[in-house]
Protein backbone atom coordinates (compact mmCIF):
# COMPACT_ATOMS: atom_id res chain seq x y z
CA UNK A 1 0.00 0.00 0.00
CA UNK A 2 1.39 3.39 -0.96
CA UNK A 3 1.80 6.22 1.52
CA UNK A 4 -0.71 8.31 -0.46
CA UNK A 5 -3.36 5.59 -0.30
CA UNK A 6 -2.68 5.02 3.41
CA UNK A 7 -3.01 8.77 4.11
CA UNK A 8 -6.28 8.93 2.16
CA UNK A 9 -7.71 5.94 4.03
CA UNK A 10 -6.67 7.47 7.34
CA UNK A 11 -8.18 10.89 6.50
CA UNK A 12 -11.39 9.21 5.35
CA UNK A 13 -11.87 7.80 8.85
CA UNK A 14 -11.20 10.99 10.84
CA UNK A 15 -13.99 12.39 13.02
CA UNK A 16 -13.02 15.84 11.79
CA UNK A 17 -14.13 16.84 8.31
CA UNK A 18 -11.34 17.31 5.79
CA UNK A 19 -11.81 19.02 2.45
CA UNK A 20 -9.34 20.27 -0.11
CA UNK A 21 -10.52 23.16 -2.24
CA UNK A 22 -8.53 24.21 -5.30
CA UNK A 23 -7.96 27.75 -6.56
CA UNK A 24 -11.15 27.49 -8.67
CA UNK A 25 -13.14 26.68 -5.50
CA UNK A 26 -13.66 23.06 -6.60
CA UNK A 27 -13.71 20.18 -4.15
CA UNK A 28 -10.69 18.03 -4.99
CA UNK A 29 -10.82 15.85 -1.86
CA UNK A 30 -13.43 15.28 0.83
CA UNK A 31 -13.42 12.70 3.58
CA UNK A 32 -16.42 10.71 4.80
CA UNK A 33 -17.10 13.16 7.64
CA UNK A 34 -17.44 16.08 5.21
CA UNK A 35 -19.93 14.07 3.17
CA UNK A 36 -22.01 13.58 6.32
CA UNK A 37 -21.56 17.20 7.52
CA UNK A 38 -22.65 18.53 4.12
CA UNK A 39 -25.75 16.27 4.14
CA UNK A 40 -24.63 14.55 0.95
CA UNK A 41 -24.86 10.80 0.43
CA UNK A 42 -21.54 10.19 -1.29
CA UNK A 43 -18.27 11.95 -2.13
CA UNK A 44 -19.14 12.18 -5.82
CA UNK A 45 -21.88 14.68 -4.97
CA UNK A 46 -19.11 17.14 -4.00
CA UNK A 47 -15.96 16.17 -5.88
CA UNK A 48 -15.37 18.22 -9.02
CA UNK A 49 -18.07 20.74 -8.12
CA UNK A 50 -17.40 24.24 -6.83
CA UNK A 51 -18.56 25.33 -3.41
CA UNK A 52 -20.87 27.82 -5.14
CA UNK A 53 -22.50 25.09 -7.21
CA UNK A 54 -23.14 22.91 -4.18
CA UNK A 55 -24.11 25.71 -1.78
CA UNK A 56 -25.59 28.63 -3.74
CA UNK A 57 -25.05 31.93 -2.00
CA UNK A 58 -22.06 30.71 0.02
CA UNK A 59 -19.89 33.34 -1.68
CA UNK A 60 -21.93 36.05 0.11
CA UNK A 61 -21.20 34.73 3.61
CA UNK A 62 -18.64 35.91 6.15
CA UNK A 63 -17.26 32.38 6.16
CA UNK A 64 -16.50 32.58 2.45
CA UNK A 65 -14.81 35.95 2.94
CA UNK A 66 -12.49 34.25 5.42
CA UNK A 67 -11.89 31.34 3.04
CA UNK A 68 -11.15 33.82 0.24
CA UNK A 69 -8.73 35.70 2.49
CA UNK A 70 -6.91 32.45 3.34
CA UNK A 71 -6.82 31.45 -0.33
CA UNK A 72 -5.46 34.82 -1.54
CA UNK A 73 -3.18 35.79 1.33
CA UNK A 74 -2.01 32.22 2.04
CA UNK A 75 -2.70 32.75 5.73
CA UNK A 76 -4.24 30.16 8.10
CA UNK A 77 -7.38 30.92 10.11
CA UNK A 78 -9.55 29.36 12.78
CA UNK A 79 -13.12 30.39 13.62
CA UNK A 80 -16.58 29.17 14.49
CA UNK A 81 -19.29 29.38 11.85
CA UNK A 82 -23.01 28.77 11.71
CA UNK A 83 -24.06 27.18 8.44
CA UNK A 84 -27.61 27.23 7.09
CA UNK A 85 -28.60 24.37 4.81
CA UNK A 86 -31.12 24.55 1.98
CA UNK A 87 -33.56 22.45 4.05
CA UNK A 88 -33.70 25.25 6.63
CA UNK A 89 -31.59 23.47 9.26
CA UNK A 90 -28.52 25.03 10.81
CA UNK A 91 -25.34 23.59 12.24
CA UNK A 92 -22.33 25.13 13.95
CA UNK A 93 -18.82 24.22 12.86
CA UNK A 94 -15.39 24.99 14.18
CA UNK A 95 -13.28 25.60 11.08
CA UNK A 96 -9.54 25.60 10.63
CA UNK A 97 -8.28 26.70 7.25
CA UNK A 98 -4.76 26.06 6.10
CA UNK A 99 -3.23 27.12 2.77
CA UNK A 100 -1.86 24.15 0.83
CA UNK A 101 -0.16 24.03 -2.61
CA UNK A 102 -3.44 22.95 -4.26
CA UNK A 103 -5.51 25.77 -2.63
CA UNK A 104 -6.82 25.46 0.91
CA UNK A 105 -7.49 22.63 3.32
CA UNK A 106 -10.52 23.09 5.56
CA UNK A 107 -10.83 21.04 8.73
CA UNK A 108 -14.28 21.13 10.30
CA UNK A 109 -15.70 19.86 13.55
CA UNK A 110 -19.46 19.86 14.14
CA UNK A 111 -19.89 21.75 17.42
CA UNK A 112 -23.68 22.13 17.21
CA UNK A 113 -24.41 20.15 20.38
CA UNK A 114 -21.68 21.95 22.31
CA UNK A 115 -23.02 25.31 21.12
CA UNK A 116 -26.60 24.40 22.08
CA UNK A 117 -25.45 23.19 25.50
CA UNK A 118 -23.60 26.48 26.03
CA UNK A 119 -26.70 28.47 25.02
CA UNK A 120 -28.85 26.40 27.40
CA UNK A 121 -26.34 26.94 30.20
CA UNK A 122 -26.41 30.70 29.58
CA UNK A 123 -30.24 30.70 29.63
CA UNK A 124 -30.20 28.65 32.84
CA UNK A 125 -27.78 31.06 34.51
CA UNK A 126 -29.90 34.02 33.38
CA UNK A 127 -32.93 32.24 34.84
CA UNK A 128 -31.12 31.75 38.15
CA UNK A 129 -30.13 35.41 38.20
CA UNK A 130 -33.74 36.38 37.51
CA UNK A 131 -34.88 34.04 40.29
CA UNK A 132 -32.42 35.60 42.77
CA UNK A 133 -33.59 39.07 41.83
CA UNK A 134 -37.25 38.06 42.20
CA UNK A 135 -36.46 36.45 45.54
CA UNK A 136 -34.73 39.53 46.90
CA UNK A 137 -37.69 41.72 45.95
CA UNK A 138 -40.62 39.45 46.72
CA UNK A 139 -39.18 38.03 49.95
CA UNK A 140 -37.49 41.17 51.23
CA UNK A 141 -40.60 43.30 51.71
CA UNK A 142 -42.77 40.71 53.55
CA UNK A 143 -39.84 39.73 55.79
CA UNK A 144 -39.20 43.40 56.64
CA UNK A 145 -42.91 43.80 57.42
CA UNK A 146 -42.94 40.76 59.71
CA UNK A 147 -39.79 41.91 61.53
CA UNK A 148 -41.20 45.40 62.02
CA UNK A 149 -44.54 44.05 63.22
CA UNK A 150 -42.87 41.62 65.60
CA UNK A 151 -41.05 44.56 67.20
CA UNK A 152 -44.43 46.22 67.75
CA UNK A 153 -45.67 43.13 69.57
CA UNK A 154 -43.14 43.82 72.34
CA UNK A 155 -45.12 46.96 73.27
CA UNK A 156 -47.12 45.98 76.38
CA UNK A 157 -49.50 48.94 76.03
CA UNK A 158 -51.22 47.55 72.91
CA UNK A 159 -54.90 46.73 73.21
CA UNK A 160 -56.73 43.79 71.58
CA UNK A 161 -57.71 45.75 68.44
CA UNK A 162 -54.13 46.85 67.81
CA UNK A 163 -52.83 43.29 68.42
CA UNK A 164 -55.39 41.95 65.94
CA UNK A 165 -54.31 44.52 63.32
CA UNK A 166 -50.67 43.54 63.80
CA UNK A 167 -51.58 39.84 63.48
CA UNK A 168 -53.59 40.57 60.31
CA UNK A 169 -50.63 42.45 58.77
CA UNK A 170 -48.29 39.58 59.71
CA UNK A 171 -50.70 37.08 58.18
CA UNK A 172 -50.88 39.15 54.99
CA UNK A 173 -47.06 39.20 54.78
CA UNK A 174 -46.92 35.45 55.40
CA UNK A 175 -49.50 34.90 52.63
CA UNK A 176 -47.34 37.00 50.27
CA UNK A 177 -44.39 34.75 51.09
CA UNK A 178 -46.51 31.64 50.54
CA UNK A 179 -47.74 33.00 47.19
CA UNK A 180 -44.16 33.71 46.17
CA UNK A 181 -42.98 30.20 47.07
CA UNK A 182 -45.65 28.85 44.70
CA UNK A 183 -44.43 31.23 41.96
CA UNK A 184 -40.87 30.19 42.69
CA UNK A 185 -41.67 26.47 42.40
CA UNK A 186 -43.37 27.09 39.03
CA UNK A 187 -40.44 29.22 37.86
CA UNK A 188 -37.90 26.55 38.86
CA UNK A 189 -39.98 23.82 37.20
CA UNK A 190 -40.10 25.85 33.94
CA UNK A 191 -36.39 26.61 34.20
CA UNK A 192 -35.57 22.90 34.49
CA UNK A 193 -37.67 22.11 31.40
CA UNK A 194 -35.52 24.45 29.28
Amino acid sequence: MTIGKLCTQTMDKLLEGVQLIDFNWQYIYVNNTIVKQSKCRKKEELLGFTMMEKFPGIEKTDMFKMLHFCMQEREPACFENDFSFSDGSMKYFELRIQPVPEGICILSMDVTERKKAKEQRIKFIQGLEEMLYMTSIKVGQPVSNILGLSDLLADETLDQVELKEICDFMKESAMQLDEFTTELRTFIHNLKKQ
Side-chain angles (χ1 to χ4, degrees):
M1 182 177 299
T2 66
I3 294 291
K5 187 166 178 103
L6 181 63
C7 286
T8 300
Q9 286 179 346
T10 301
M11 289 196 318
D12 275 345
K13 294 178 183 170
L14 291 176
L15 294 175
E16 192 170 37
V18 180
Q19 53 190 308
L20 291 176
I21 309 293
D22 71 11
F23 289 98
N24 295 317
W25 298 101
Q26 285 183 323
Y27 292 96
I28 56 175
Y29 171 79
V30 293
N31 72 350
N32 296 332
T33 303
I34 279 297
V35 173
K36 191 184 305 180
Q37 287 176 354
S38 66
K39 298 191 174 190
C40 291
R41 290 183 300 279
K42 52 189 178 179
K43 291 180 178 186
E44 291 73 27
E45 291 179 46
L46 293 169
L47 293 174
F49 292 94
T50 67
M51 296 180 92
M52 292 70 103
E53 289 171 324
K54 295 312 292 179
F55 302 101
I58 195 170
E59 68 279 4
K60 298 174 187 162
T61 66
D62 290 337
M63 178 197 70
F64 191 83
K65 288 176 190 169
M66 185 60 76
L67 296 178
H68 190 268
F69 171 81
C70 294
M71 184 79 83
Q72 296 301 311
E73 301 301 321
R74 312 307 294 153
E75 292 289 330
C78 181
F79 60 96
E80 207 170 90
N81 181 64
D82 57 335
F83 191 87
S84 298
F85 291 91
S86 59
D87 65 4
S89 64
M90 185 192 313
K91 293 227 175 214
Y92 296 93
F93 295 97
E94 183 179 280
L95 302 175
R96 289 181 304 189
I97 300 100
Q98 183 71 40
V100 293
E102 298 82 6
I104 55 174
C105 177
I106 305 169
L107 304 175
S108 57
M109 181 65 74
D110 185 343
V111 294
T112 304
E113 293 306 314
R114 182 176 74 192
K115 185 88 167 173
K116 286 179 181 177
K118 183 178 178 181
E119 288 170 359
Q120 287 175 332
R121 188 171 58 247
I122 289 169
K123 283 181 184 177
F124 186 75
I125 290 169
Q126 289 171 339
L128 290 176
E129 289 170 349
E130 184 181 335
M131 183 181 70
L132 288 171
Y133 177 75
M134 275 178 19
T135 302
S136 69
I137 290 189
K138 293 203 173 192
V139 170
Q141 187 62 48
V143 168
S144 292
N145 290 346
I146 291 170
L147 290 172
L149 293 168
S150 66
D151 285 343
L152 290 175
L153 288 174
D155 185 353
E156 294 176 7
T157 63
L158 296 173
D159 62 27
Q160 284 298 102
V161 173
E162 292 169 320
L163 286 172
K164 183 173 179 343
E165 284 180 2
I166 290 172
C167 285
D168 288 344
F169 286 131
M170 287 180 91
K171 185 176 181 180
E172 184 181 321
S173 293
M175 287 171 56
Q176 288 173 349
L177 287 172
D178 185 55
E179 187 178 300
F180 175 66
T181 56
T182 303
E183 283 179 40
L184 191 57
R185 276 194 299 273
T186 302
F187 183 85
I188 291 170
H189 176 72
N190 291 336
L191 190 59
K192 284 181 180 178
K193 286 191 336 189
Q194 293 178 358

